[in-house]
Amino acid sequence: MMGRTIFIDPGRCIGCQACVSACRECDSHRGKSMIHLDYPDEGHSVASLPTVCMHCEDPVAPCAEVCPADAILVTADGVVQQADTTRCIGCANCVNACPFGVPKIDLQAKLQMKCNLCYDRTAYGLAPMCATVCPTGALFYGTLDELRAERPGVQVADSFTFGTTTVSTGVAMVVPADKVRWPVPGGLPVVEINGRDVR
Amino acid sequence: MTEPPQTAEPSPPSGAAPAPGPAPGVTADGGPSPQAPAAVRRRAVLAGTAVSVLLILAIVFGSRLLRDFDSALLPYAVATVFLAFGVAYRYTVWISAPGARRLFRQGWRSFFSAANFRRAPTALPRMIATYLGFQKFLGARSHARWAAHQLLFWGCLLAAAITFPLTWGWFTFTSATGSGPGYEMRIWGFEIIGFDALGFLGWLMFHGLDIAAVLVIAGAAYFLWRRMKDRGAITGQRFAYDLVPLIALVVISVTGLLLTFSSIFLHGGGYQFLAVLHMVSVVFTLIYIPFGKFFHIVQRPAAVGMQLFKYTSRRTGEGEGEVLVCRRCHEPIDTAPYVANLRGTMRDLDLGFDEWAEYCPRCKRVLRGAAYLDHVKKGFK
C-alpha cells in the first residue's frame, strides 16, 4: 500500500455523484470523468460503489502488462498512469483485462484514459479531486494513520480475489472491524447473474 | 504488500514510501526492460546485427561500390547504421512481450490472409492512410495537436526521404555541362529526372530540406509551447522523454536553415562550424530514436495491424454472432477472436482471471460491489 492513498468506504457513499463531477476538473483529463459510480443492487437498495483506479501492486498493473504498446507507465511511487498519448493504439486490452473495470477508452481518439490518482494534484501534496469533494468521507485521501485519527479502529483491506488470483492494490477499501477478512471478494467466480444462479 | 495479511491488523503503510511526486518512472523511457530475458536479448542482438549488415550492404551496392558515396556525409551514414541496429534490437525486445507478440502475430496473419484481402481489398490502404498518413485519431484528441503533428510528420518524412538516400550515396546529382544549370538526378546510378537548377523544380529540389525545416519548426514550436503551458501535458512530464525530442528537432531544423542562410547571405561564413553543429544534432537524434519518444514512429503501425485484425474478424463474423457480448448485460465487448487473443495474453502473463474478460467493465464493478454487499459489509452498513 502506498504511503498516502485513497481509502474507499462504500458504506458511506450516498451516490451523490459529486466525485464524478469533480473528477472532470482534473487537469490531466479535463472535461472527462474517470471515476465510476455504480449501483450494485439497483432497484432494491440505494447502495452505491465508487470505483477509482486501484493501482494494482501485485501483480503489478495488469493493464500495463497486457498493453501491447508499452503505453502504461507505473511511476516509482506506485501510481499507474494513464496511457501515454504517443504510444496508445486504442486496442482496449487494458479496458478488458482490468479486474476492477477501471480504464475507459475513446475509440475515435484511439486513446485509453483512466484515473491517475489526480497526479497533477497528488504530486504536489494535494488530495485528488474526488476525495476533496466527497461529502461523506466515502473517498478519503491520506495515510492509514490519518484515517484512523478520524475513524478510530477502522480496518482496511488492500487485497482482492478474482477466482484463484489475489490482487494486491495501492488503493484500499474499508472493511467492517468485526469481520476483517482478507482478501476481499472481487466478484469472480460469478455465482449469480440477475437473480439466476450461474454456478 | 504482496501477501494478504494473516492477522486482523493490516500492515501499516510504510513510512519510508516515497512521497508522490514527478518521480522518474520505472519504465520511464519506455526503453527495453533491463529484465528482458537473456534469450530475448540474444535474439535482439542478432536481429540488430542482421539489419545493420543488410543496411551496410545496401549502402555499398546502392552507391555503386561507394563510387557515389559522399565521404563528407560519412558520420550521418554511420549514425543510420547505429539507428538500424537500435530499432531492430528494440523492436525485437518489444514484440517479445506477450501482449505485443500475440497482437503482432494476429496483425500479420490478417495482413497476409488472401481471404481477408478478397473480402476487403481497400481496408489496408484505407487504414494506412487514416492512421499513419493523416492520423485522423489525433484530430479527435485535439485539432491543434493534429495540425501541429501533421506539420512535424510531413516535415520529418520529407527530410528523411531526401537525406537518408543522399547519405547512403543512393541519390546523385550530375551535370553533363560541368557547372550546370542542367542537372540530372540519379538513383543507384539510373537517371530519373533532368531539371534546370535555376528553374522552379531546381529550387524545390535544392531547398527541400529548408521547406522541411520550416514545417518541423512550426510543429515543434507548438508542442514546446504546449509542454510549457498545458497543465494536462505538464502532468508527469519528463525532460528526457517529452522535451528532448522537441528540442532536438528544433536544433536540427534551425542549424539546417542557418546552413542555407550562411551560403546565401554570408558567402559561406561560419559554414564549417554550423555543419558540425548540425551533424552532431542529427547524429544524436538518430541514435536516440529507438530509445525515447521517437520509438512511437516504429510502434504506430501496430495500430494498423490491430485495427485490421479487429476489422477482418468482425467482417468474418457477419451474421454469425462473432462480436462477443458481456455474459451479464449482453452489451457488446469486442470481436470474439480479439477477446480470445486477450485471454491468451492474460494466461501468458499468469493473470488467472482471464475469464473476467468476458464481462464488460461496468458489470465487473457491479459484481464486485454485489460481492462486497453480500460477503463483506451486509447492506453496506
Side-chain angles (χ1 to χ4, degrees):
Chain A
M1 196 191 299
M2 280 173 275
R4 294 178 77 79
T5 188
I6 290 181
F7 295 92
I8 305 169
D9 186 353
R12 286 175 171 245
C13 181
I14 54 171
C16 69
Q17 307 255 5
C19 53
V20 177
S21 296
C23 185
R24 278 190 207 105
E25 304 298 322
C26 178
D27 271 329
S28 48
H29 46 79
R30 271 191 304 272
K32 288 178 184 156
S33 188
M34 292 298 130
I35 193 169
H36 303 277
L37 190 64
D38 299 287
Y39 303 92
D41 196 15
E42 208 168 1
H44 302 101
S45 153
V46 293
S48 50
L49 174 74
T51 303
V52 297
C53 175
M54 302 299 284
H55 299 280
C56 301
E57 291 181 345
D58 182 34
V60 64
C63 56
E65 287 195 59
V66 298
C67 177
D70 300 337
I72 300 173
L73 169 75
V74 184
T75 37
D77 45 15
V79 175
V80 182
Q81 303 287 343
Q82 54 186 0
D84 183 334
T85 52
T86 43
R87 291 192 178 186
C88 182
I89 59 172
C91 70
N93 266 11
C94 51
V95 174
N96 294 304
C98 172
F100 295 97
V102 168
K104 291 184 174 184
I105 190 162
D106 182 338
L107 288 173
Q108 295 300 314
K110 296 273 164 266
L111 186 63
Q112 174 256 39
M113 291 178 113
K114 65 178 264 301
C115 155
N116 62 353
L117 208 71
C118 280
Y119 207 61
D120 58 317
R121 295 172 59 82
T122 48
Y124 296 99
L126 297 169
M129 295 300 285
C130 57
T132 307
V133 300
C134 181
T136 58
L139 294 157
F140 177 92
Y141 181 74
T143 63
L144 186 58
D145 289 338
E146 286 167 355
L147 179 73
R148 285 197 171 139
E150 282 192 16
R151 306 175 200 174
V154 71
Q155 300 291 335
V156 299
D158 64 353
S159 14
F160 300 82
T161 48
F162 299 94
T164 53
T165 308
T166 300
V167 178
S168 301
T169 58
V171 166
M173 274 180 97
V174 171
V175 290
D178 60 329
K179 45 192 283 195
V180 173
R181 275 186 312 207
W182 283 276
V184 173
L188 189 74
V190 177
V191 291
E192 178 258 358
I193 292 178
N194 304 332
R196 188 167 46 86
D197 195 324
V198 294
R199 268 172 289 196
Chain B
M1 191 186 297
T2 54
E3 290 292 324
Q6 299 304 308
T7 65
E9 189 70 13
S11 47
S14 156
V26 285
T27 54
D29 61 354
S33 156
Q35 286 87 34
V40 171
R41 285 204 305 271
R42 265 199 303 278
R43 209 162 50 231
V45 170
L46 269 178
T49 310
V51 170
S52 308
V53 169
L54 279 178
L55 178 59
I56 292 170
L57 289 176
I59 292 173
V60 170
F61 290 108
S63 61
R64 300 195 299 154
L65 299 177
L66 302 182
R67 217 176 314 161
D68 294 338
F69 190 82
D70 185 349
S71 56
L73 302 179
L74 182 68
Y76 293 102
V78 172
T80 62
V81 173
F82 276 101
L83 167 69
F85 181 90
V87 166
Y89 181 97
R90 175 90 173 81
Y91 192 89
T92 310
V93 171
W94 168 47
I95 59 158
S96 298
R101 186 177 60 228
R102 280 182 176 269
L103 216 50
F104 176 82
R105 282 200 195 129
Q106 297 290 3
W108 282 110
R109 193 170 292 158
S110 309
F111 179 81
F112 284 118
S113 158
N116 282 343
F117 182 74
R118 272 196 302 275
R119 249 195 315 270
T122 59
L124 182 66
R126 219 174 44 234
M127 285 176 187
I128 290 176
T130 41
Y131 288 114
L132 303 184
F134 298 104
Q135 300 148 358
K136 267 181 68 179
F137 61 97
L138 287 180
R141 298 179 188 183
S142 144
H143 294 307
R145 274 156 69 192
W146 171 80
H149 195 269
Q150 283 282 293
L151 290 173
L152 270 187
F153 172 73
W154 291 108
C156 289
L157 204 65
L158 176 64
I162 295 171
T163 52
F164 279 59
L166 267 181
T167 58
W168 294 338
W170 290 5
F171 282 1
T172 42
F173 294 89
T174 55
S175 172
T177 55
S179 59
Y183 271 90
E184 294 93 44
M185 179 188 169
R186 294 168 183 275
I187 299 180
W188 300 316
F190 300 107
E191 185 181 334
I192 299 297
I193 187 173
F195 61 91
D196 181 348
L198 302 176
F200 181 64
L201 183 62
W203 186 89
L204 276 184
M205 294 286 258
F206 290 133
H207 289 85
L209 286 178
D210 293 328
I211 295 166
V214 171
L215 296 179
V216 169
I217 289 173
Y222 170 78
F223 281 119
L224 271 176
W225 172 82
R226 182 174 168 269
R227 290 249 155 239
M228 283 181 258
K229 288 284 174 198
D230 185 289
R231 285 186 290 179
I234 291 170
T235 304
Q237 175 171 278
R238 289 158 285 158
F239 182 77
Y241 186 79
D242 293 305
L243 290 166
V244 165
L246 293 172
I247 295 168
L249 287 178
V250 170
V251 171
I252 290 175
S253 307
V254 169
T255 51
L257 278 180
L258 284 176
L259 284 172
T260 304
F261 181 81
S262 159
S263 65
I264 293 177
F265 297 106
L266 305 178
H267 308 291
Y271 198 93
Q272 294 279 328
F273 171 72
L274 285 170
V276 170
L277 206 59
H278 184 67
M279 186 197 73
V280 168
S281 56
V282 171
V283 167
F284 161 80
T285 306
L286 288 177
I287 292 172
Y288 172 84
I289 283 177
F291 304 102
K293 190 164 215 162
F294 287 132
F295 193 66
H296 81 274
I297 301 164
V298 184
Q299 278 186 318
R300 184 51 58 176
V304 174
M306 181 272 296
Q307 283 298 322
L308 194 66
F309 168 46
K310 285 193 181 187
Y311 179 80
T312 51
S313 50
R314 188 168 296 138
R315 282 180 70 95
T316 316
E318 242 166 16
E320 296 168 27
E322 273 286 296
V323 171
L324 195 94
V325 295
C326 170
R327 281 208 227 161
R328 180 171 175 272
C329 70
H330 307 297
E331 283 293 312
I333 294 179
D334 214 309
T335 65
Y338 159 79
V339 176
N341 185 64
L342 173 62
R343 289 189 64 174
T345 303
M346 292 174 76
R347 282 194 298 271
D348 290 348
L349 290 161
D350 290 328
L351 298 173
F353 45 87
D354 61 290
E355 183 194 344
W356 219 200
E358 297 193 353
Y359 291 86
C360 72
R362 182 177 165 272
C363 286
K364 281 182 204 170
R365 297 192 302 269
V366 168
L367 287 167
R368 183 167 57 87
Y372 187 87
L373 201 58
D374 284 344
H375 303 294
V376 184
K377 216 172 182 181
K378 200 75 180 164
F380 279 10
K381 281 174 189 151

